[in-house]
Amino acid sequence: MWNELLNLFSSDDPMKQMGDDFMRMLAMTHEMAELVRPHVFDHLLTLEQRKLILEKDVEVNKLERTIRRQIVSHLTLHRDQIPYCLVLLMMVNHAERIGDYIKNVAEVEQLGGATVPEGPLRDELNDLIAICHRLFEEAPMIVADQTRDRADELVRVARNAKKRSDKLLVELSKSDLTPSQVTSMVLLTRFYRRMTSHLKNILSSVMMPVHQVDYLPEDLDADEQ
């Protein structure tokens, strides 16, 4: 399915513009994530950085609405391309949600969080954040190049990260961190867990037919780090 969609993206078909806009969404959310990353634990984003993140999130949302309009218009003339449009709609929705979660990461202090001290729990979350960023960096290339084997590898990594995130949330409930520090860790863990899941679902479009995108077989579970 995705191979055929890519062929449309690279032709003179109107879906090429939609594909380009989707790739811009991915690039923009990656930029947002890189802005936030150095200050995940100290919450020292400047006002200018916060403003830039919000501006990029607005642009991501505008691109989502643009692609939706393009798809509706496109389907009035190309009903045979409904399956491709459904795949693109799902992927666009995942990209938009990623933008929302990055914005949430930038707001953790406002939600009652405090600076997180160094230690094993922070190290584990930092590792999970690194996994999320690995997906950010590789997802556009994997989608563009159709590297199914690498998509499969990263889907397994993402699934294992989800299990580790769930375990970390349990450990936080038993930690000696202050309530505001726990708030930071819990929110950050959940936000990055969701971003990793959305990136995993984007990668699933490379591997699965349209009716199974987002719903991967259980036998893809693995223990890769």
Side-chain angles (χ1 to χ4, degrees):
M1 174 62 68
W2 184 251
N3 283 326
E4 295 168 356
L5 186 54
L6 276 180
N7 289 334
L8 293 173
F9 285 174
S10 60
S11 69
D12 293 330
D13 193 285
M15 286 197 73
K16 182 182 185 305
Q17 182 61 52
M18 302 181 216
D20 291 343
D21 287 342
F22 169 69
M23 288 299 184
R24 285 177 59 201
M25 289 180 74
L26 284 185
M28 225 170 286
T29 56
H30 189 192
E31 291 169 9
M32 292 166 66
E34 289 295 330
L35 277 170
V36 169
R37 190 175 187 182
H39 303 292
V40 166
F41 297 112
D42 62 28
H43 309 312
L44 293 178
L45 281 166
T46 66
L47 288 176
E48 286 186 1
Q49 288 171 320
R50 293 178 189 276
K51 181 181 177 183
L52 183 55
I53 289 167
L54 290 174
E55 289 173 350
K56 287 184 179 294
D57 184 57
V58 169
E59 286 302 309
V60 168
N61 293 340
K62 285 181 179 178
L63 281 169
E64 180 194 29
R65 293 193 296 270
T66 296
I67 295 171
R68 284 181 175 178
R69 286 196 300 270
Q70 290 170 333
I71 287 175
V72 171
S73 175
H74 185 70
L75 286 178
T76 60
L77 299 174
H78 302 276
R79 299 184 67 84
D80 58 312
Q81 294 182 2
I82 287 175
Y84 312 122
C85 291
L86 288 175
V87 170
L88 186 56
L89 273 174
M90 285 187 281
M91 294 175 69
V92 165
N93 181 64
H94 288 308
E96 188 274 334
R97 294 299 295 140
I98 289 167
D100 287 342
Y101 282 116
I102 298 169
K103 183 175 64 175
N104 292 155
V105 169
E107 297 169 341
V108 165
E109 185 179 29
Q110 299 165 254
L111 297 172
T115 300
V116 180
E118 293 184 4
L121 296 176
R122 171 169 156 169
D123 289 344
E124 173 66 357
L125 178 52
N126 203 34
D127 195 31
L128 293 170
I129 291 171
I131 289 172
C132 185
H133 277 266
R134 193 195 316 174
L135 269 64
F136 264 120
E137 291 163 6
E138 294 198 45
M141 293 180 290
I142 290 171
V143 168
D145 297 339
Q146 282 298 277
T147 46
R148 182 188 172 93
D149 289 346
R150 186 56 179 157
D152 178 81
E153 291 173 10
L154 287 182
V155 163
R156 293 172 186 270
V157 169
R159 280 189 157 177
N160 190 59
K162 175 182 178 293
K163 295 176 183 177
R164 289 171 59 185
S165 296
D166 292 342
K167 182 178 178 181
L168 177 57
L169 290 171
V170 174
E171 293 300 316
L172 285 169
S173 69
K174 300 182 289 187
S175 75
D176 57 1
L177 296 174
T178 67
S180 55
Q181 291 168 345
V182 171
T183 295
S184 279
M185 286 289 292
V186 168
L187 290 175
L188 290 169
T189 300
R190 291 188 64 83
F191 294 155
Y192 276 98
R193 178 182 182 278
R194 293 304 304 147
M195 280 190 275
T196 298
S197 180
H198 284 296
L199 288 163
K200 171 184 70 77
N201 287 334
I202 288 173
L203 289 169
S204 77
S205 70
V206 176
M207 304 160 55
M208 309 302 293
V210 62
H211 66 285
Q212 285 185 287
V213 173
D214 296 356
Y215 295 97
L216 295 163
E218 290 300 317
D219 59 7
L220 283 177
D221 282 323
D223 294 325
E224 284 91 340
Q225 300 297 316

